[in-house]
Amino acid sequence: MAELHQAPTSLCCCRKSLPDSGGRCSGDSGRPSAGPGPESQRCPLVDVASASNFRSFQLRHFHLDLRLNFAVKEMSGWLVLDLVPVQPGVCSLILDSHPSLLIHSIDCKVPGARQQEPVSLTYRVDPFTDYGSSLSISLPTAAVKPGRAVQITVRYTTTDGPAIWWLDSELTCGQVRPLVFTQGHSVCNRSFFPCFDTPAVKSTYTATVRVPEGVTVLMSASRSSYSKQDRVFQFSMEFPVPSYLVALVAGELQHVDVGPRSRVWAEPCLLSCAVKKLGGSVERWLGVAEDLFGPYLWGRCDIVFLPPSFPIVAMENPCLTFIIASILESSEFLLIDVIHEIAHGWFGNAVTNATWEEMWLSEGLATYAQRRITTEAYGEPFTCLETVVRLDALHRQLRLLGDNNPVSRLQVKFESGVNPSTLMNLFTYEKGFCFVSYLSEISGDVRRFDCFLRDYISEFKFKSVVAQDLIDYFLSYFPELKDTAVAQREGLEFERWLSGCGPPPYEPDLSAGGALIGPVQDLCDLWRNADPPDLEALATFDLSTWSTFQIVLFLDRMLDHSPLPHSVMASLSDSYSSLFDGLNAEVQIRWLQMVVRNSFYPDLPRVRAFLHKHTSRMYTVPLYEDLVAGVMKCVAVEIFYQTQRRLHPNLRRTLQQILFQTSSTNQNGSALPVVPPSSSGSTPPQELTAAVATASPGGATGTTAAIALRNVNVSA
């Protein structure tokens, strides 16, 4: 069962044996330093996604003082920046901002100066990109000198920018109280507070948040306190973090401790389920990670489950991971997602990519670390199976985009104005993972590479790095590899890894997962190679005993071969649809995608029921795109108008764009209306049905590409 055909060769470009190499373990006296040297003399860092002049200042600390007003969906208050100019002649401070921020006033104070009264400053807001603007503040030249601290206070109000998601009570899980959360990755937090919105800048922060009675506030902070009398929450992050990792959630939240340094937060109706699903696993996973990569640096490791409107699967905010509640249905996907976010505690949060053009330094390393943790905790076969599912998705996307597509590079160069969030793709995760796996392979031993990663974290913790920092440190850590010019090895050059398009030059050997992967491929072959399939042979496969990842791999590979003959779809439905009904959403959505892509009308009621139940972007968008790309546009519109009031406005706009193949505005420039269903409650108005029926067909390629990307189960 462990033969190569069970881990298809199409997944692997290079299975050649690689030379052994020595390495050092943590604590060796010869551990290299990352101090400046010839290889470190590089050009000044440029972040084209930031309008700020962050290289002109050192940001020592900042403080937020905010009041939350749920009635008008508004945050108001002030930001205090403790800055030290590091360049002479700096006459202005430029911060990243957003049109949704209303600036009221800005003033300046020099701590310890004779004049203690703050000086009012002039400022202007200029356009920058469609995801932000620049806030240019004129500084008093007499007060601003290199090395001399200055304190800038910005009073402002913000409403519903890209970072801030206000949920009416109807959109929460409990449907009792409203909730608000922020999501800063990658460049959204400039709509939360003016900042140096670049991962190159890290600082500590504190926050004071005033809320109405009955509201609990959480932030990505290492310490917190609460004054019940004043309804004020105080937070402190004592370790330096980049702006995108500042996060807040406020609503009806309760908690249960699940370990000495971890607790689960959720709305009351979700809490017991979330605690039951996680149990004592969080502390176990933390312990495994610490054995591999060194001490957990953040103190707390809490998890908060958010309603289905949360726009991604998970976000690794320090001390407080955000997870979408929808993933609670699938224990295996929940396990992977939480472990991935835990891995970010070392890779991404402690050591951060200095620009978004090298996001793989966070996601690729975190994916590798996640799989090291699952290998230690659950065995190599489990990790190989999960990896095959992801690498299948990577190659699926490569087939759609082409090997020469620049988005498949690890170092993606983008022009000013391009939103870095669009670059968070399968290559960032999986090609980055393959490069790190290759480095592990040539280091000679996975345990030696664990030592390297532990020392890499120790060397660069709380700093931001570029790829060359990692490579220089790797080559100095393994000098024998540097001496043999491993970075220039033909076909596997480091430069090719970073700048080359196409598939990874190397993929790890996944044959250890053969006992789990082999039966999946055998079952796929049975269904694809015979019409009708051999029922006696099919009876030997009991999917009720399979893991979620096995069933997901089976359905993904069957999706790759859609459309299927109607008779095959009928047999598949007879064999499995009732089983899939009782399984989690990750299984159900893949089966329903097969139903839609094959226009299998007998199971259409299952599609309706799924979209009436699930309002998460991760589940709704792929199905709607498939419905529109095929012959079921009218069905899609009908379901949309029946469920639209339970969708977050952002998701509603996205689905309107998909359904009507237009932007989210009509020809008059106003938003598309929220139209109630007809009196029967089953169909939209006739004229809208006709409009959809005559709309230009959706592109199957674009739809499939979106599905391929969705299969990364995106967590930041």
Side-chain angles (χ1 to χ4, degrees), residues 187-209:
V187 289
C188 294
N189 263 358
R190 61 192 67 186
S191 68
F192 182 13
F193 55 94
C195 56
F196 294 136
D197 201 359
T198 170
V201 175
K202 292 185 171 184
S203 77
T204 58
Y205 78 88
T206 50
T208 300
V209 185

Short mmCIF file of all heavy atoms in Angstrom, two decimals, residues 187-209:
data_model
loop_
_atom_site.label_atom_id
_atom_site.label_comp_id
_atom_site.label_asym_id
_atom_site.label_seq_id
_atom_site.Cartn_x
_atom_site.Cartn_y
_atom_site.Cartn_z
N VAL A 187 -3.23 44.93 4.67
CA VAL A 187 -3.07 46.38 4.77
C VAL A 187 -4.38 47.06 5.15
O VAL A 187 -4.65 48.18 4.73
CB VAL A 187 -2.52 46.95 3.44
CG1 VAL A 187 -1.08 46.55 3.24
CG2 VAL A 187 -3.38 46.50 2.25
N CYS A 188 -5.19 46.37 5.96
CA CYS A 188 -6.51 46.91 6.32
C CYS A 188 -6.48 47.81 7.54
O CYS A 188 -7.35 48.67 7.69
CB CYS A 188 -7.49 45.76 6.55
SG CYS A 188 -7.87 44.80 5.07
N ASN A 189 -5.51 47.63 8.44
CA ASN A 189 -5.58 48.36 9.70
C ASN A 189 -5.37 49.86 9.57
O ASN A 189 -5.61 50.61 10.51
CB ASN A 189 -4.58 47.78 10.71
CG ASN A 189 -5.25 46.80 11.66
OD1 ASN A 189 -6.45 46.57 11.58
ND2 ASN A 189 -4.49 46.22 12.56
N ARG A 190 -4.97 50.34 8.40
CA ARG A 190 -4.91 51.78 8.18
C ARG A 190 -6.32 52.39 8.22
O ARG A 190 -6.45 53.61 8.30
CB ARG A 190 -4.21 52.09 6.86
CG ARG A 190 -4.85 51.52 5.63
CD ARG A 190 -3.93 51.62 4.40
NE ARG A 190 -2.76 50.77 4.53
CZ ARG A 190 -1.74 50.76 3.66
NH1 ARG A 190 -1.78 51.55 2.60
NH2 ARG A 190 -0.70 49.97 3.83
N SER A 191 -7.35 51.55 8.13
CA SER A 191 -8.72 52.05 8.32
C SER A 191 -9.18 51.89 9.76
O SER A 191 -10.30 52.30 10.11
CB SER A 191 -9.68 51.32 7.38
OG SER A 191 -9.82 49.96 7.74
N PHE A 192 -8.36 51.30 10.62
CA PHE A 192 -8.63 51.15 12.05
C PHE A 192 -8.00 52.31 12.82
O PHE A 192 -8.63 52.93 13.69
CB PHE A 192 -8.08 49.80 12.50
CG PHE A 192 -8.31 49.44 13.94
CD1 PHE A 192 -9.20 50.12 14.76
CD2 PHE A 192 -7.63 48.37 14.50
CE1 PHE A 192 -9.39 49.76 16.08
CE2 PHE A 192 -7.80 48.00 15.82
CZ PHE A 192 -8.69 48.70 16.61
N PHE A 193 -6.74 52.64 12.47
CA PHE A 193 -6.05 53.78 13.09
C PHE A 193 -4.92 54.20 12.16
O PHE A 193 -4.34 53.36 11.45
CB PHE A 193 -5.51 53.42 14.48
CG PHE A 193 -4.62 52.22 14.51
CD1 PHE A 193 -3.23 52.35 14.43
CD2 PHE A 193 -5.14 50.94 14.63
CE1 PHE A 193 -2.40 51.25 14.47
CE2 PHE A 193 -4.31 49.82 14.66
CZ PHE A 193 -2.94 49.98 14.58
N PRO A 194 -4.58 55.49 12.11
CA PRO A 194 -3.45 55.92 11.28
C PRO A 194 -2.17 55.24 11.78
O PRO A 194 -1.94 55.15 12.99
CB PRO A 194 -3.39 57.43 11.49
CG PRO A 194 -4.74 57.80 12.03
CD PRO A 194 -5.21 56.63 12.81
N CYS A 195 -1.34 54.78 10.85
CA CYS A 195 -0.19 53.98 11.30
C CYS A 195 0.86 53.87 10.20
O CYS A 195 0.63 54.27 9.05
CB CYS A 195 -0.65 52.57 11.70
SG CYS A 195 -1.55 51.68 10.40
N PHE A 196 2.01 53.33 10.58
CA PHE A 196 2.96 52.83 9.60
C PHE A 196 2.46 51.43 9.24
O PHE A 196 2.82 50.45 9.88
CB PHE A 196 4.37 52.75 10.20
CG PHE A 196 4.99 54.08 10.53
CD1 PHE A 196 5.66 54.25 11.74
CD2 PHE A 196 4.94 55.15 9.65
CE1 PHE A 196 6.26 55.46 12.06
CE2 PHE A 196 5.53 56.37 9.96
CZ PHE A 196 6.18 56.53 11.17
N ASP A 197 1.63 51.35 8.22
CA ASP A 197 0.99 50.06 7.91
C ASP A 197 1.90 49.23 7.01
O ASP A 197 1.62 48.98 5.84
CB ASP A 197 -0.37 50.29 7.23
CG ASP A 197 -1.28 49.06 7.36
OD1 ASP A 197 -0.83 48.07 7.95
OD2 ASP A 197 -2.41 49.12 6.88
N THR A 198 2.99 48.80 7.60
CA THR A 198 3.97 47.96 6.92
C THR A 198 4.50 46.94 7.91
O THR A 198 4.72 47.28 9.09
CB THR A 198 5.13 48.79 6.35
OG1 THR A 198 6.18 47.90 5.91
CG2 THR A 198 5.70 49.74 7.39
N PRO A 199 4.73 45.70 7.50
CA PRO A 199 5.28 44.71 8.44
C PRO A 199 6.72 44.99 8.81
O PRO A 199 7.27 44.32 9.69
CB PRO A 199 5.13 43.39 7.67
CG PRO A 199 5.11 43.78 6.23
CD PRO A 199 4.42 45.11 6.19
N ALA A 200 7.35 45.97 8.16
CA ALA A 200 8.74 46.32 8.49
C ALA A 200 8.86 47.03 9.83
O ALA A 200 9.94 47.08 10.41
CB ALA A 200 9.33 47.19 7.39
N VAL A 201 7.76 47.60 10.33
CA VAL A 201 7.78 48.39 11.57
C VAL A 201 7.06 47.62 12.67
O VAL A 201 5.92 47.21 12.50
CB VAL A 201 7.11 49.76 11.36
CG1 VAL A 201 7.02 50.52 12.68
CG2 VAL A 201 7.87 50.57 10.33
N LYS A 202 7.74 47.47 13.80
CA LYS A 202 7.15 46.81 14.96
C LYS A 202 7.28 47.71 16.19
O LYS A 202 8.27 48.43 16.33
CB LYS A 202 7.85 45.47 15.26
CG LYS A 202 7.63 44.40 14.20
CD LYS A 202 8.25 43.07 14.63
CE LYS A 202 7.84 41.95 13.71
NZ LYS A 202 8.36 40.64 14.17
N SER A 203 6.27 47.64 17.05
CA SER A 203 6.35 48.39 18.31
C SER A 203 5.41 47.76 19.32
O SER A 203 4.52 46.97 18.98
CB SER A 203 5.97 49.86 18.09
OG SER A 203 4.56 49.99 17.97
N THR A 204 5.59 48.13 20.58
CA THR A 204 4.63 47.77 21.62
C THR A 204 3.43 48.71 21.53
O THR A 204 3.48 49.76 20.89
CB THR A 204 5.28 47.88 23.00
OG1 THR A 204 5.75 49.23 23.17
CG2 THR A 204 6.45 46.92 23.13
N TYR A 205 2.33 48.33 22.19
CA TYR A 205 1.18 49.23 22.22
C TYR A 205 0.35 48.98 23.47
O TYR A 205 0.44 47.93 24.10
CB TYR A 205 0.33 49.10 20.95
CG TYR A 205 -0.60 47.90 20.90
CD1 TYR A 205 -1.90 47.96 21.42
CD2 TYR A 205 -0.21 46.71 20.30
CE1 TYR A 205 -2.75 46.88 21.36
CE2 TYR A 205 -1.05 45.62 20.23
CZ TYR A 205 -2.33 45.70 20.76
OH TYR A 205 -3.18 44.62 20.70
N THR A 206 -0.45 49.98 23.81
CA THR A 206 -1.46 49.87 24.85
C THR A 206 -2.77 50.38 24.29
O THR A 206 -2.80 51.08 23.27
CB THR A 206 -1.08 50.68 26.11
OG1 THR A 206 -0.73 52.02 25.70
CG2 THR A 206 0.09 50.05 26.83
N ALA A 207 -3.87 50.04 24.96
CA ALA A 207 -5.19 50.48 24.47
C ALA A 207 -6.16 50.60 25.63
O ALA A 207 -6.10 49.82 26.59
CB ALA A 207 -5.73 49.51 23.42
N THR A 208 -7.02 51.58 25.52
CA THR A 208 -8.15 51.76 26.43
C THR A 208 -9.41 51.76 25.58
O THR A 208 -9.51 52.53 24.62
CB THR A 208 -8.04 53.10 27.19
OG1 THR A 208 -6.83 53.09 27.95
CG2 THR A 208 -9.22 53.30 28.11
N VAL A 209 -10.37 50.90 25.92
CA VAL A 209 -11.59 50.77 25.11
C VAL A 209 -12.80 50.89 26.02
O VAL A 209 -12.96 50.12 26.98
CB VAL A 209 -11.62 49.42 24.35
CG1 VAL A 209 -12.83 49.37 23.43
CG2 VAL A 209 -10.32 49.22 23.55
#
